[in-house]
Amino acid sequence: MRKYTVSHPVPAGNYPPRAYDGLTEIWFENWEDHDAFFASENYRTLVNPDEARFIDMESVAVMVTEEKKVM
């Protein structure tokens, strides 16, 4: 894993109300690193079982992207 960020929306004038509680980004160099992360013993035994305590898995949306630098 290259980077892991969690962002929480804040009130901002002239913008619509928040549509979510938080946004998490997990950055990987490649698919092999992605697969290794989610297959790891640490993720499977410690992280994954704990996720249901603080994440509403029914409302989770997933998006896979590739960053393209424009400027």
Side-chain angles (χ1 to χ4, degrees), residues 11-54:
N14 299 322
Y15 282 85
R18 64 185 188 149
Y20 54 88
D21 291 333
L23 171 76
T24 302
E25 292 180 274
I26 307 174
W27 295 61
F28 299 98
E29 288 294 326
N30 52 52
W31 277 109
E32 291 79 17
D33 290 350
H34 166 277
D35 293 347
F37 174 83
F38 287 105
S40 72
E41 181 79 12
N42 182 66
Y43 178 79
R44 289 185 299 107
T45 62
L46 299 176
V47 178
N48 185 255
D50 193 43
E51 288 175 337
R53 292 176 10 127
F54 59 92

